[in-house]
Amino acid sequence: RENTMSLRKNFRPLYRQVYDVLTQRLVSGYWRPADVLPSEFALADELGVSQGTVRKALNKMVSEKLLHRKQGKGTYVSEHTQESSLYRFFRLRRRDGEGLIPETRVVGSRRRKATRAECTSLDARQELVVELTRQRFLEGIPVVVERVIQPLSIFPDIDKVPQIPNSLYTLYQERFGISIASVRDGVRAAALPTKYAKYLKLKPAAPVLLIERASLSIDGRVVELSQAYCSTEEFVYAVEVN
């Protein structure tokens, strides 16, 4: 068995090798969003490992929300629905902790060359990107203005999509086959730039929360960058740590 030999020659823990094999199948599109995976027994037999090893690898993928289980039905590839994506990755909450679905309005979009810093962050050579500017509302209140950087090499002609959905991650998955597995957020206090003040109905240089985000695909590539200026007069940035 070729898969068995390639697993056992590696010095990494066996469950991590199984994890790598299964994750690569998601990256390659061998399994698509909403597909059901073979049983643990079938995967263990194919890879020449124990069911316990397969289960440990699958548990890790479930904890990372790459997969999800349906009681009595099996294990499925996760898909970014509008609501699941927004609840998972949109961090602003009411002060009582309740999560809300934001409304979104596109206020600008342009193609341009990536800056040197963007190329470094995206691990890419000088290339064209789309700079998308969006305004986001909670309960009718403008709370976020964000600038999103999308490489055209990863998302061809994304600026020609007729209607941008509320959740960009859903669009990335459904139209471009790119699933966002995780994000890295840097959060700091900032002065609101003058050009964005009107979108939050605040004065220029008003204190806001700045969230600088790198969005990573399943294979660990940074495929999107964003900066979000957030008004926290009515809402808070909330993160759960387990």
Side-chain angles (χ1 to χ4, degrees):
R1 293 178 179 177
E2 186 176 348
N3 281 333
T4 305
M5 294 178 62
S6 64
L7 286 176
R8 296 191 184 282
K9 285 181 179 179
N10 198 306
F11 289 105
R12 300 186 71 195
L14 203 54
Y15 89 91
R16 286 305 303 254
Q17 296 179 52
V18 172
Y19 169 91
D20 290 343
V21 170
L22 301 184
T23 300
Q24 185 55 40
R25 292 183 181 181
L26 300 184
V27 173
S28 68
Y30 180 81
W31 290 324
R32 303 289 297 169
D35 280 355
V36 62
L37 268 63
S39 68
E40 291 179 1
F41 177 82
L43 288 171
D45 183 62
E46 176 193 346
L47 297 174
V49 298
S50 70
Q51 281 184 257
T53 297
V54 169
R55 186 175 299 118
K56 190 172 183 180
L58 293 177
N59 285 343
K60 178 174 173 58
M61 295 174 76
V62 169
S63 72
E64 295 174 349
K65 302 190 185 305
L66 300 178
L67 306 174
H68 69 279
R69 291 190 172 101
K70 294 183 181 179
Q71 189 67 32
K73 293 185 177 181
T75 303
Y76 291 76
V77 180
S78 296
E79 55 182 332
H80 288 308
T81 64
Q82 291 287 333
E83 288 198 0
S84 67
S85 180
L86 289 167
Y87 270 120
R88 181 180 175 196
F89 293 109
F90 188 76
R91 310 290 197 194
L92 289 190
R93 301 285 187 269
R94 284 208 310 218
R95 293 187 182 277
D96 62 8
E98 182 181 349
L100 300 168
I101 298 295
E103 296 177 5
T104 305
R105 179 186 302 161
V106 174
V107 295
S109 177
R110 67 186 181 108
R111 290 191 183 197
R112 62 167 174 79
K113 282 189 175 181
T115 65
R116 182 174 299 178
E118 288 166 351
C119 286
T120 300
S121 297
L122 292 164
D123 193 24
R125 296 182 178 179
Q126 189 78 8
E127 63 175 305
L128 287 176
V129 298
V130 172
E131 180 181 312
L132 179 72
T133 305
R134 306 197 300 168
Q135 187 182 21
R136 314 196 79 174
F137 302 79
L138 289 176
E139 299 183 322
I141 301 171
V143 293
V144 178
V145 58
E146 65 179 351
R147 186 174 67 101
V148 184
I149 306 302
Q150 304 162 320
L152 283 167
S153 62
I154 297 174
F155 306 113
D157 290 335
I158 191 170
D159 52 341
K160 296 181 181 179
V161 174
Q163 187 170 357
I164 299 294
N166 202 1
S167 168
L168 289 173
Y169 295 165
T170 303
L171 174 67
Y172 297 163
Q173 186 181 70
E174 292 179 352
R175 191 177 183 102
F176 301 98
I178 301 292
S179 294
I180 301 301
S182 62
V183 298
R184 293 197 300 254
D185 282 356
V187 183
R188 60 186 173 91
L192 181 62
T194 300
K195 65 180 178 179
Y196 294 142
K198 62 181 179 181
Y199 298 119
L200 296 182
K201 296 184 179 178
L202 296 174
K203 293 182 178 180
V208 292
L209 198 65
L210 173 59
I211 304 171
E212 297 175 300
R213 170 172 291 185
S215 300
L216 285 73
S217 61
I218 293 173
D219 56 354
R221 290 181 299 152
V222 176
V223 296
E224 179 209 79
L225 300 172
S226 67
Q227 290 181 320
Y229 294 89
C230 309
S231 170
T232 55
E233 294 181 350
E234 302 289 339
F235 302 92
V236 298
Y237 179 88
V239 177
E240 291 186 11
V241 179
N242 297 319

